[in-house]
Structure formats: structure tokens, C-alpha cells
Amino acid sequence: MRITFSVACVAASLQFAALLAPAIAQNREEFITKPAALVADQIPDIPVSIVEQTRPYMEFRTAGFVDWDPKTKAMLVRTRFADTSQLHRVASPGRTREQITFGEEPARGASYAPDGSILVFQKDIGGNEVNQIFAMQDGVPKMLTDGKSRHSLGPWANNMNMLAFGSNKRTGLYNDIYLINPAKPDSEVMLIASNGGGWFPIDFSPDDKYLLVFNYVSVTDNQLYLIDIANGTARKLTNSNNPVTYNGLQFAPDGALWAASDDGSDVQRLGTVDQQTSEFNPIISERYWDISDFDISKDGRWIAYHVNQAGQSVLKIYDMKSKKIRTVSALAPGVISGLKFSPWGALGFTLNTNQAGSDSYSITPENLKITRWTQSETGGLDASDNVMPELVEIHSFDAEKMSGFLYRPDPQKHPGKRPLIINIHGGPEGQAKPRFLGRNNYLINELGIAIFYPNVRGSTGFGKRFLALDNGPFRREDSVKDIGAFLFHLRRDFRIDKSRIAVTGGSYGGYMTLASMLRYGRQLRAGLESVGISNFVTFLENTQPYRRNLRRFEYGDERVPKQRAKLEEISPLRRADSINTPLMVVTGLNDPRVPASEADQIVAAVRANKRPAWHLLAKNEGHGFRKKANADYQFWASLLFWQKYLLNGDK
């Protein structure tokens, strides 16, 4: 049959199409532009709708305390107003944050000279951790170091503008210790040359005649040396046959050397180190918990320290005169870091908590008055609406006690059994703590996903015996079995949907993610690993040389045939054909710790088995994403992954 259209018919058709056009446009999904440095391999485009839905959760800021300005009594904080975190000055509590440093890369550690005349800071390029040290001069940063070697910022002398720092420029591997007057860059001198290990300058003696230097052999073995500034001779303070951990080492004004140490104890106590006999004299003990960090007031009257109670910080003030201890009980539950007394006696620190974000505070030690200096934005959301975690305690397969933090969605808003993501920390000598979750609060508050942060054996904060339980290749998979024990417990929780559980983690947590997918794949819907180890042998062979011996102490020595064989056996890459759970991998091309090749090989192996393996690579990042545009895109990509494989149940 022949069909003909009249002019009127055509006109009517065009009019009808015009009426439909808005509806068609509304149904056509639009996508965002990916940051130029990212490579999204087999990852779907990100819809604009997801960006709009999540936007308030992406626009949070934090403000971490860094130092005090001795000249103006202002506080130096680290926060982000563009794509990266930079240094800002806050003149007084609640005042505007005045930006000091600018650049494409985040500004890292920083400190003022004792007289406030110079501010120094360090930063790297693209996450390569090859830090350079800069001094601010008339608002412009001037590089003090060579621009190609790796440097670590150290302490200032007490009575002169002399700065200690570490650099590997002599050997390209190990840190030597140098001194410099930043106002006179040509004044640099090498104080001591090292022959291995991880050497860092810690503190000057009150008379500036000696520099305390720390050699980090391993997380449980720290060696201390006193260096004579006049002639560069070194005197060892510790016994190599007695591995000991030290934290927060500092000279008091009277010359006593204070430390938090596990010498003679399973946990770290606060006390003094005899500079002649090396004997540790414990003065403050918290029985079952580590004293994680401390600072001494400039007049020697107060010591502020915080206790690590299963991950949560408790701040206390010790009166050196009366020997009494007071607890700062008015702080919200969370994590405290960066303790530092000002010359006038105020104690600065950062408090990180999920119901208030992460901001800078001070305390007056005499009356424990708390002052909040910054009130960081949380994207227009009320942070107090975020959930606080509950502490979950279990016994693992061998009756070892362990714990973790569980963030549950509001049951009024999200009733019934909820999906769960197990998020495993890195290190392995890290620790899950009750922190502000940032973007992840969207998963909890809006999608109703519970998140659990476990502390498996090998985590810090639970004593040196617990810390060593995973050392070496023959005990490595015991920590994976701990995830199995947590799974056993959580699957029996009446508020958890045992059919929708996934696992994620970064760095060592990335290895744990892959290993958990292999051992417990039938209980898991999906796995997302970031900058993780896929093969211990190739990791040890390709990590930066300055890190290799340190990692051998933890994981095992690939040069020893028996250990190499075991390392190969427990490596996820060796059994990648058994990974049937959908996988997403996140990688930084410039990662000096876990090379990007670790991600490439596991992605290729999983895809060879015809299983899903999304891969997000950042060409301008290292061990984790630090630039906001990249981190945002990573979250959106992971959100698509969780929606497809955890919430919707695709295979």
C-alpha cells in the first residue's frame, strides 16, 4: 500500500515532535567530563544526576592544626579551598582563613622558626613523595633543596634559626642529616651520614648542643642517637638487642628526654630516657592502652598526651609540678592529632569526629577551656546528623580478641536489613579509628549502606604483641582469617543483609581486599581495592629501594627461597583465576610505595578469566588520590560500582 503525506500532515508531525522534544531531552542522560589526568578503563561514564545527588557530601572541608605563629599568635592550619590542601593562617578563633601557599600540589608538613621570622614547608610532585623543602619569603615560596632528591622536614633549634632535615641526595637511598639556616641557603652542612635504615632528626637539646636522631628500623625497633652539633660525633642511646618503639620524643626545658615507649611493656607508657644508661623510666601508664602522642609546654609545667582507647582518643593533661592528671572530658568522641603548645601556653590540636568534621582547636591547660578555631564547611549539611560508630568486639579463629567500628544507617530512614561494606585499613601497621567519613557519609545517610572498619591482627594501638601477630609470610593469612571471623559475626547481625556484603581497602588493605575475595568470595558481592599489593614478590622487587628492607621486615624476604615460595603462594595474583567476584582497582601512576604495575597485573589476570575488573588510573597521583577533582571522580566511579554489583546484585 502506498502512503502519501500532505503538507498539513507533515506540519502536524513536526508540531508533535516539538512538543515531545523537552520530554526526550529530559530522559536523555548527560555525563560529566572526566579530569584529564584520569584513565577510566571499562568504567561507565559518570551521569550528571549522580553528581548532583552527591554534591553536598563532596563539598566538605577540613582544617588540620599545623603550628603556632610566634609573632602574631595566629594559628597555622592546613585546609583546601581549590583542588589541593594548602597552608592558611587564622588570626584568632573563628576568623577568616587567610591562604599562605598556593599551587597544584598539596603543601605538607610546615613549621615556623622560633622567632616567627621564617615559615618552611614541604611538598612533592604528583604524589611521588620526593619532597622538597621551601621557605616563604615575601609571600613567595623559595626552594631550599635540590629539586630531585627526597627530603624530610625536621625540627628547629631552640635559640637560633637553624633547621635540621633529612635528605637522600648523597646515596639516592638513605637519609643523611643536614643543618641549614633557611635565610642563608648556602649555609647547609651535612651533620651525619647514615649507612642504611630510616634516619630522621627529632629534637634539639635545650642548649642546642645536641640533636636527637631517630633510626626507624621497623615499627617495633627504633634506635636513638645523640649527635654533637659541634663535631658531628654520634652517641647511641639505645640497645640494638632490645627492639623498642618510641613515639613523640622530646626534650623538656630541664634537659630530660621524654618519650612514649613500649620498653618493658606491651603498650606504650610515658616516661623519660636516661641519656647515660639508656634506661626507660615510665612515669605515666594507661594500663591496657597506648599513649600515642604528647607535647611539653615551653615552660615545662604541662605535658599534654592522648590515649588510644581501641582507636578513640582521650586527651589528658599532666601537671609536672603537682604530678596530677586531668582528663579533658568535654571533647566529642573522635580522633586527636597534632598536639603542640604555643610559646604563651595554649595547646593546639586537631579533633576529627564524624558529627563535627575535622577542625582545629586549642585548650588552656590551667582550666581545660576548649576553644574552636575553625568551623569547616560540610557542604551545607548538618554534620551532627551523621551517625556515630559502635565498637564491635569479637574473638577470631584462634580466640584472639579484636575489634572494629561499625557505622549503621539511621533505622528510621533505612529500615530493615542493610547492605554492608567492610573497609580494611592499610599499613599493615595502621588502625581504624572513629573519624569523620566525608564522602562515605553519603553511602550511609542516603543509600542506607552500613560500613565496618575492622582492626585485624597487625594493627597498631593494641600493644606490640598484637602488632607482631601477622609478621612474615607464614602468618600473613591469619589476618585474612580475621576478616572471616568478622564476617561470621556480622552475617548474624539481624540488621545486616548477609546477601549484600562487599569489601574494600587501600594499600595493604588493598591486598586484604583481594585475599578476602579469594577466601570468602561466596560471601561477598564485590571488592574494590586501591593502590594494593597483588604479588608480594613483585611488590618487594619494585617498591622504591629506600623502602625495601623496611617492608621485608614486615612481609618477608623475597631473596630467601623458602620465604619467596610462601610469598608467591599467598599472593592474590597467583590465584587470580579464582576471583569470581566483580573487582574495581584504583591506581596512582606515581606511587613510590606500591607500584602501578601491581594493579596492572591483577586487572589483566582477572579480565583473562572473563570477570569484571574496572580500573581507574590517575597519572598525577601517587599512593592515594589527594587532588579533589580526582578524589571526587573516584567516589562517583565507586558509587556506580557499588550500585551495580552490591545494591543491584549484578554478576
Side-chain angles (χ1 to χ4, degrees):
M1 179 174 64
R2 186 176 181 183
I3 301 176
T4 59
F5 288 91
S6 67
V7 174
C9 182
V10 170
S13 298
L14 291 174
Q15 185 179 19
F16 183 67
L19 290 172
L20 283 178
I24 294 172
Q26 188 174 9
N27 291 328
R28 186 187 303 125
E29 184 68 90
E30 296 181 357
F31 302 95
I32 66 169
T33 301
K34 175 173 56 63
L38 295 185
V39 178
D41 185 7
Q42 295 192 10
I43 296 176
D45 291 336
I46 308 298
V48 170
S49 58
I50 285 184
V51 175
E52 293 172 347
Q53 291 163 14
T54 60
R55 179 61 68 190
Y57 289 89
M58 317 300 281
E59 299 307 323
F60 69 90
R61 292 191 178 95
T62 62
F65 171 74
V66 178
D67 200 6
W68 294 102
D69 183 342
K71 275 188 173 180
T72 66
K73 295 189 176 183
M75 181 181 280
L76 184 69
V77 302
R78 187 170 176 263
T79 189
R80 177 197 55 74
F81 274 85
D83 200 35
T84 59
S85 294
Q86 300 295 331
L87 298 175
H88 293 67
R89 181 188 293 110
V90 181
S92 59
R95 293 285 296 275
T96 301
R97 290 153 287 185
E98 174 192 349
Q99 190 164 343
I100 299 173
T101 62
F102 301 82
E104 294 183 2
E105 304 296 340
R108 310 295 285 175
S111 62
Y112 281 100
D115 63 0
S117 61
I118 303 173
L119 172 65
V120 294
F121 68 95
Q122 63 185 27
K123 65 177 180 177
D124 67 4
I125 297 176
N128 64 4
E129 299 185 20
V130 181
N131 287 312
Q132 304 303 318
I133 299 174
F134 297 80
M136 294 298 295
Q137 294 185 351
D138 299 321
V140 178
K142 180 178 181 180
M143 187 186 297
L144 300 178
T145 45
D146 63 10
K148 57 185 179 181
S149 306
R150 180 173 48 85
H151 303 85
S152 57
L153 192 60
W156 290 93
N158 297 288
N159 304 303
M160 50 185 167
N161 285 344
M162 180 168 64
L163 179 74
F165 68 94
S167 174
N168 72 343
K169 65 181 179 180
R170 180 178 64 89
T171 65
L173 294 175
Y174 308 115
N175 264 5
D176 300 322
I177 306 302
Y178 293 80
L179 300 176
I180 190 173
N181 179 350
K184 302 175 181 179
D186 58 356
S187 65
E188 177 188 303
V189 295
M190 186 171 70
L191 181 62
I192 187 170
S194 69
N195 56 3
W199 290 70
F200 301 95
I202 300 299
D203 197 17
F204 284 89
S205 60
D207 58 9
D208 290 330
K209 291 183 178 180
Y210 297 94
L211 176 66
L212 180 68
V213 173
F214 176 100
N215 182 18
Y216 187 92
V217 179
S218 74
V219 69
T220 56
D221 187 1
N222 313 150
Q223 302 296 326
L224 307 181
Y225 296 80
L226 269 183
I227 313 300
D228 189 314
I229 300 295
N231 56 32
T233 58
R235 179 165 60 86
K236 194 173 185 180
L237 295 183
T238 47
N239 180 3
S240 298
N241 296 322
N242 179 32
V244 169
T245 297
Y246 295 98
N247 268 324
L249 289 150
Q250 187 177 354
F251 285 103
D254 63 3
L257 177 57
W258 284 77
S261 177
D262 61 10
D263 192 354
S265 169
D266 187 51
V267 298
Q268 295 177 28
R269 300 173 292 177
L270 186 59
T272 58
V273 179
D274 190 300
Q275 296 168 52
Q276 301 302 319
T277 66
S278 303
E279 182 179 348
F280 178 69
N281 175 34
I283 294 174
I284 302 173
S285 173
E286 293 290 337
R287 298 184 67 190
Y288 309 113
W289 306 113
D290 279 345
I291 294 176
S292 301
D293 189 21
F294 70 94
D295 194 50
I296 304 172
S297 64
K298 308 305 178 186
D299 61 3
R301 171 70 186 275
W302 312 102
I303 296 183
Y305 67 94
H306 63 81
V307 186
N308 182 341
Q309 293 188 357
Q312 181 172 305
S313 300
V314 177
L315 180 59
K316 298 189 177 187
I317 306 292
Y318 176 66
D319 188 334
M320 298 269 264
K321 188 178 292 185
S322 68
K323 312 303 180 188
K324 292 182 179 180
I325 299 173
R326 291 169 297 156
T327 299
V328 184
S329 55
L331 289 172
V335 180
I336 292 169
S337 60
L339 298 176
K340 186 170 184 179
F341 278 103
S342 68
W344 51 94
L347 174 71
F349 62 96
T350 304
L351 175 63
N352 185 316
T353 176
N354 202 38
Q355 288 190 335
S358 184
D359 274 301
S360 297
Y361 295 75
S362 68
I363 283 181
T364 305
E366 288 82 0
N367 57 16
L368 304 188
K369 179 185 177 183
I370 301 169
T371 302
R372 185 169 183 171
W373 281 66
T374 61
Q375 186 90 33
S376 295
E377 297 83 353
T378 53
L381 301 170
D382 186 348
S384 65
D385 291 336
N386 294 332
V387 300
M388 291 297 284
E390 60 186 72
L391 183 67
V392 174
E393 294 180 305
I394 68 162
H395 289 88
S396 193
F397 68 95
D398 57 356
E400 188 70 41
K401 184 179 178 181
M402 54 196 58
S403 61
F405 290 97
L406 177 60
Y407 293 77
R408 296 184 188 269
D410 181 351
Q412 299 299 319
K413 184 175 181 180
H414 300 286
K417 294 179 178 292
R418 306 313 309 163
L420 172 70
I421 296 174
I422 299 175
N423 193 320
I424 309 170
H425 68 70
E429 310 99 335
Q431 186 182 16
K433 298 181 178 181
R435 300 179 182 275
F436 175 58
L437 296 188
R439 298 171 179 85
N440 280 344
N441 278 313
Y442 178 82
L443 302 178
I444 300 168
N445 296 346
E446 306 303 332
L447 299 185
I449 300 173
I451 306 180
F452 178 63
Y453 295 84
N455 280 311
V456 298
R457 69 192 64 211
S459 303
T460 53
F462 302 93
K464 60 186 178 185
R465 184 196 65 82
F466 189 84
L467 180 63
L469 287 178
D470 67 341
N471 283 359
F474 299 97
R475 294 193 289 178
R476 178 59 45 201
E477 290 195 307
D478 285 352
S479 59
V480 184
K481 294 178 185 177
D482 294 338
I483 296 298
F486 280 119
L487 271 169
F488 181 85
H489 174 83
L490 293 166
R491 282 167 57 86
R492 282 154 181 77
D493 188 310
F494 73 96
R495 290 174 57 190
I496 299 295
D497 182 350
K498 68 179 182 180
S499 69
R500 292 191 293 171
I501 300 178
V503 63
T504 188
S507 190
Y508 176 73
Y511 155 74
M512 289 287 289
T513 295
L514 295 170
S516 298
M517 292 169 69
L518 282 164
R519 186 176 283 268
Y520 305 109
R522 293 184 178 181
Q523 300 177 45
L524 299 171
R525 280 281 187 91
L528 191 163
E529 70 100 334
S530 176
V531 297
I533 300 166
S534 62
N535 184 305
F536 282 108
V537 172
T538 57
F539 159 71
L540 290 167
E541 290 175 341
N542 295 319
T543 191
Q544 286 295 307
Y546 68 88
R547 304 188 72 254
R548 195 166 291 140
N549 285 336
L550 178 65
R551 295 297 81 195
R552 283 170 175 155
F553 181 90
E554 173 66 36
Y555 297 125
D557 193 333
E558 84 287 0
R559 299 167 299 181
V560 178
K562 186 177 179 180
Q563 294 190 40
R564 184 185 184 94
K566 186 63 177 179
L567 287 167
E568 287 278 13
E569 177 189 327
I570 65 175
S571 293
L573 184 65
R574 179 77 172 267
R575 299 168 287 161
D577 58 353
S578 297
I579 295 179
N580 295 312
T581 311
L583 172 67
M584 178 174 171
V585 177
V586 178
T587 317
L589 184 63
N590 305 319
D591 193 338
R593 303 186 183 205
V594 180
S597 54
E598 290 297 302
D600 294 337
Q601 60 193 17
I602 193 66
V603 168
V606 172
R607 287 178 179 173
N609 197 34
K610 310 299 182 185
R611 300 302 299 151
W614 299 13
H615 189 193
L616 183 64
L617 170 71
K619 297 179 181 179
N620 61 346
E621 299 279 13
H623 200 62
F625 289 9
R626 300 183 303 178
K627 295 179 171 65
K628 184 179 185 299
N630 294 342
D632 285 352
Y633 199 93
Q634 176 187 345
F635 180 79
W636 291 322
S638 69
L639 191 56
L640 291 181
F641 182 76
W642 296 134
Q643 286 178 333
K644 181 177 179 64
Y645 294 113
L646 175 62
L647 301 183
N648 297 339
D650 289 6
K651 298 294 185 180

